[in-house]
Amino acid sequence: MARTEADAAHPGGDTWDLSPDTTLIRLLAANARAYPARAALREKDRGIWQESSWSEVLEKVLACAAGLESLGFAAGDAMLVMGDNRANLYLGMLAAGALGGYAMPLYPDAVPDEVRHFATEVEARFVLAEDQEQVDKILEMRESGVSVGTVVYDDPRGLARYGAAGLTAFAAVVAAGRARLDADPALREALIARAQPDGPAVFVHSSGTTGKPKGVVLSHRNLLGGVRNAHRGGAFGFDEHILAYLPMAWVGDFAMTVGAGVALRFTINIPERAETVLTNLREIAPTFYLAAPRSWDNMLTMIQVRMEDSTPLKKRVYDFFMGLATAAERRKLKGEAPTALERWLRPLGELMVFGPIKDQLGFTRLAHAFTGGEAIGEDTFVFYRALGVQLRQFYGQTESSAYTALQDPGEVRLHTVGRPLPGVELRISDDGEILVKSDSVFGGYFRNDAATRGTLEDGWLHTGDAGYLEADGHLVVLGRLSEVVRTRQGERYIPNYIENRIKFSPYVKDAAVIGAGRDMLTAIICIDREPVGHWAELRGISYISYADLSQKPEVQDLIAAAIRRVNEALPAPLRVTRFVNLHKEFDPDDGEITRTRKLRRNVVEDVYKPVIDALYDGSAAVVMKAAVRYETGETGVIERTLAVKGI
């Protein structure tokens, strides 16, 4: 994107070169001075988009900060943030950072035990909660002896009769803060100047795949260093339009929505609720969109299901043009030019197929499309590229403020995540670990010196990921270094690498590959109910539940075919030979996966030991009794007979 004179505005009057030697609140103030009336934040409420300008956002953040301070919130204090994406929750997080405190967003579906762990980790005295559901979690936690003094809620519905101590409305906090600002004219500038570049911007957590998530405090310098690197690497420009729908507890949301959003003056659109994301996506038509591979898969499945239900003529037109575009895209990925026929028919395909699909998805203005977190399936990746969505892969971690490497639009490859971003040093250790050094790298785990020493060494972040650099600098990520294991015969492999490729099938939601120290590899599969259910309905296969559907012989054959396709690309000793379709999905509430859907392998192997034993002892079936935890915190037991199938 070309720079303008407006882009040169800096809070200190110097040339704005994306230096991280500033803070989010100072950048917010600079935006309010330079673009007071420009839309900064839009939130869908009761079907209507409510818009706030940069000057309005700044004034509300300052009022919230002044109000929180009057309640006793100070530098070094922690504030839990609980709920779905809401404008006032984001503004509250900015206010906490302006005061030098820790804003710690949690996943909205976190159960009371998880909330208790995070609250005691930082001795939190403050909570910013979205609604009654989240307030109830805190009040329940209080009853168990965890002391949280002040609970600020955004949505007052259902809370009018609550008489709990320390319970106050967000609107009341802002009103009190505005009164302080009116009474003390110097307070406004003092609040803008208070936070320092090396002070806390946000408190997030590692994925927690091998145990309890570790606390990661990212400073303003870390966060803005990551934004600078990503901007210079072409991830986004100034004035993007984005949809803030990712979980607030995930570092990618804060890094993009708040970090890049404030630094680069994004228009930040917040959906009405999680269920309306796809509808709101079409309404705003973002210029930047980041989604996990599973989300891209789900949208592709939705398109395929709709086409299956369309008229024969529409289906033939779709199949013809998508087949032509997909073939052209596969040639481009190999470095070959499209054929003359593909070039001539592309405009017609855009008019009849590609354009209408992009319009339905909300991708008509999409200039920057990304996927990350894990590998994306080749068919899914190629489909969106063929559609005209320039989907790219990126790589980063919580500890590096989300941004490390990125694919260039003209150098997209299926097996790499692109080159390291400008401002990022990257090298591979002798044992194959990816090491990173950058302003964006955090300073250490919160109150965990032992974990910090094992992760940071001479400024280098030990990512824990195995990978290698190709001759031209492209990074290939193989998986977690700790997951490199060997079969009994000594064959070295990374289970996650094979699992991701099994999940490339639209019919597989999760997979756990077993085989460390054993003679062969096997797998536990969780089918994806929606696409498998639709597949079954088209073939007249009736079922009454997820468990029933998973055990249908036809569904087992469907999954076996998907595994065979993966096996074709694997050496013989590393092919999956037997599998079980599980009767339920892996669930974060049961501890089987993290909130970001990363497998907790030790938990799975412990819980499903009877299934694993059956995979290796030749059994044709296994009776599985499993404890489950419901949203209320209560537990139950499910008992099912599961078929064991060979490939």
Side-chain angles (χ1 to χ4, degrees):
M1 260 189 158
R3 286 171 58 84
T4 65
E5 288 185 8
D7 291 336
H10 183 271
D14 301 322
T15 300
W16 173 232
D17 61 355
L18 292 177
S19 166
D21 191 24
T22 184
T23 65
L24 289 171
I25 190 67
R26 293 178 201 172
L27 291 174
L28 178 59
N31 291 345
R33 285 196 297 269
Y35 306 93
R38 182 178 293 184
L41 199 61
R42 300 175 71 240
E43 183 173 29
K44 193 78 176 285
D45 182 31
R46 296 175 178 84
I48 300 173
W49 286 103
Q50 308 291 336
E51 191 170 287
S52 299
S53 68
W54 283 111
S55 61
E56 290 170 335
V57 168
L58 174 66
E59 294 308 314
K60 197 168 187 180
V61 169
L62 292 175
C64 181
L68 286 173
E69 189 173 49
S70 67
L71 292 173
F73 189 89
D77 279 337
M79 180 174 72
L80 304 186
V81 181
M82 300 171 58
D84 285 311
N85 310 71
R86 296 267 63 92
N88 286 339
L89 299 194
Y90 283 119
L91 302 187
M93 292 168 76
L94 280 167
L99 294 170
Y102 304 97
M104 181 195 287
L106 308 183
Y107 287 97
D109 57 353
V111 297
D113 282 348
E114 291 176 299
V115 178
R116 187 178 298 106
H117 166 73
F118 294 126
T120 54
E121 178 185 24
V122 290
E123 301 167 2
R125 298 190 299 115
F126 288 79
V127 172
L128 176 57
E130 177 192 1
D131 53 18
Q132 182 184 17
E133 177 187 356
Q134 305 299 339
V135 169
D136 286 344
K137 291 181 186 177
I138 296 301
L139 298 184
E140 179 183 336
M141 192 174 68
R142 274 184 178 178
E143 293 175 0
S144 67
V146 178
S147 176
V148 177
T150 302
V151 181
V152 180
Y153 58 86
D154 180 28
D155 186 347
R157 287 177 293 184
L159 293 168
R161 296 179 181 273
Y162 278 41
L167 200 59
T168 185
F170 183 87
V173 174
V174 170
R178 283 187 175 133
R180 283 192 68 201
L181 291 169
D182 291 342
D184 183 359
L187 180 59
R188 187 177 184 278
E189 291 303 320
L191 288 174
I192 293 173
R194 187 175 303 177
Q196 298 302 309
D198 291 317
V202 68
F203 192 137
V204 285
H205 287 85
S206 64
S207 60
T209 54
T210 57
K212 290 287 187 182
K214 295 186 285 291
V216 176
V217 177
L218 296 174
S219 68
H220 295 271
R221 188 185 305 280
N222 295 150
L223 197 71
L224 295 173
V227 171
R228 174 201 60 193
N229 298 342
H231 170 68
R232 290 176 175 172
F236 34 60
F238 283 83
D239 304 317
E240 302 284 2
H241 291 257
I242 65 169
L243 184 67
Y245 77 101
L246 296 165
M248 295 179 70
W250 183 54
V251 65
D253 178 68
F254 196 87
M256 179 181 71
T257 303
V258 181
V262 171
L264 303 179
R265 299 190 314 270
F266 290 178
T267 299
I268 303 163
N269 300 272
I270 300 174
E272 190 160 12
R273 57 185 186 274
E275 294 77 16
T276 66
V277 165
L278 292 180
T279 301
N280 299 152
L281 185 65
R282 187 185 181 194
E283 290 173 339
I284 69 166
T287 60
F288 177 100
Y289 185 67
L290 166 65
R294 177 56 57 182
S295 296
W296 293 106
D297 290 341
N298 289 342
M299 283 190 285
L300 174 54
T301 298
M302 178 185 70
I303 294 168
Q304 292 171 333
V305 167
R306 289 181 180 178
M307 291 313 304
E308 287 287 344
D309 292 337
S310 66
T311 65
L313 177 59
K314 288 182 179 179
K315 191 172 185 306
R316 282 197 295 270
V317 172
Y318 170 84
D319 288 342
F320 173 76
F321 282 107
M322 280 308 307
L324 206 66
T326 298
E329 188 60 38
R330 290 188 186 280
R331 266 192 287 276
K332 286 166 63 177
L333 290 172
K334 294 177 182 177
E336 303 171 5
T339 65
L341 180 65
E342 291 164 349
R343 291 197 303 271
W344 293 337
L345 289 179
R346 178 76 202 192
L348 184 59
E350 187 69 34
L351 178 67
M352 298 182 67
V353 177
F354 314 138
I357 291 177
K358 286 185 286 188
D359 179 63
Q360 285 294 317
L361 296 175
F363 291 164
T364 53
R365 296 194 300 171
L366 191 57
H368 307 285
F370 291 96
T371 182
E374 61 183 7
I376 188 170
E378 178 177 341
D379 291 343
T380 302
F381 191 70
V382 169
F383 170 84
Y384 286 104
R385 300 280 300 182
L387 193 64
V389 175
Q390 298 304 301
L391 184 58
R392 294 185 273 165
Q393 300 187 71
F394 88 103
Y395 169 71
Q397 289 187 312
T398 303
E399 292 86 348
S400 64
S401 305
Y403 305 112
T404 298
L406 183 72
Q407 289 181 334
D408 184 88
E411 284 190 313
V412 172
R413 302 174 190 173
L414 288 168
H415 68 291
T416 81
V417 294
R419 292 189 177 91
L421 292 167
V424 173
E425 295 181 64
L426 190 148
R427 62 184 177 88
I428 308 298
S429 70
D430 293 340
D431 59 355
E433 184 178 13
I434 300 169
L435 308 182
V436 174
K437 181 182 284 189
S438 171
D439 283 342
S440 64
V441 170
F442 79 139
Y445 293 112
F446 185 77
R447 296 178 182 172
N448 194 337
D449 292 340
T452 298
R453 286 193 296 272
T455 302
L456 288 175
E457 187 176 345
D458 297 328
W460 288 93
L461 169 66
H462 289 243
T463 65
D465 287 330
Y468 62 90
L469 288 167
E470 296 191 329
D472 59 358
H474 276 251
L475 175 65
V476 178
V477 181
L478 299 174
R480 296 298 292 171
L481 191 68
S482 60
E483 291 196 348
V484 176
V485 293
R486 295 180 184 272
T487 64
R488 183 173 296 173
Q489 289 75 27
E491 292 288 339
R492 184 174 179 267
Y493 73 100
I494 298 177
N496 184 249
Y497 178 86
I498 301 174
E499 289 160 357
N500 282 337
R501 274 137 191 84
I502 294 175
K503 289 191 293 181
F504 288 170
S505 166
Y507 305 117
V508 177
K509 187 164 190 176
D510 284 301
V513 169
I514 315 297
R518 298 179 183 268
D519 293 326
M520 61 184 183
L521 269 57
T522 61
I524 299 174
I525 302 295
C526 300
I527 63 170
D528 197 328
R529 178 170 186 159
E530 185 175 350
V532 174
H534 187 265
W535 179 90
E537 289 168 11
L538 289 176
R539 288 154 181 80
I541 302 168
S542 61
Y543 62 95
I544 59 174
S545 65
Y546 179 99
D548 182 36
L549 178 63
S550 72
Q551 300 307 305
K552 293 292 182 182
E554 299 90 343
V555 172
Q556 291 170 351
D557 291 341
L558 178 69
I559 301 303
I563 294 175
R564 284 192 202 98
R565 284 193 291 272
V566 174
N567 281 346
E568 290 173 1
L570 295 171
L574 298 181
R575 291 173 184 164
V576 175
T577 58
R578 282 160 65 84
F579 74 95
V580 166
N581 281 348
L582 211 57
H583 57 287
K584 62 179 281 292
E585 295 180 0
F586 290 147
D587 193 330
D589 287 345
D590 296 334
E592 298 159 346
I593 53 174
T594 68
R595 296 287 170 191
T596 54
R597 301 204 66 83
K598 292 181 179 178
L599 190 70
R600 284 194 167 112
R601 196 171 306 281
N602 56 338
V603 175
V604 168
E605 292 184 359
D606 180 55
V607 171
Y608 297 105
K609 185 179 184 302
V611 174
I612 295 172
D613 290 343
L615 284 166
Y616 286 96
D617 66 14
S619 299
V622 57
V623 176
M624 179 63 197
K625 295 181 180 180
V628 293
R629 178 179 294 176
Y630 302 103
E631 291 183 358
T632 60
E634 297 177 345
T635 59
V637 175
I638 293 179
E639 181 175 325
R640 296 286 181 181
T641 299
L642 310 178
V644 181
K645 187 173 180 63
I647 303 297

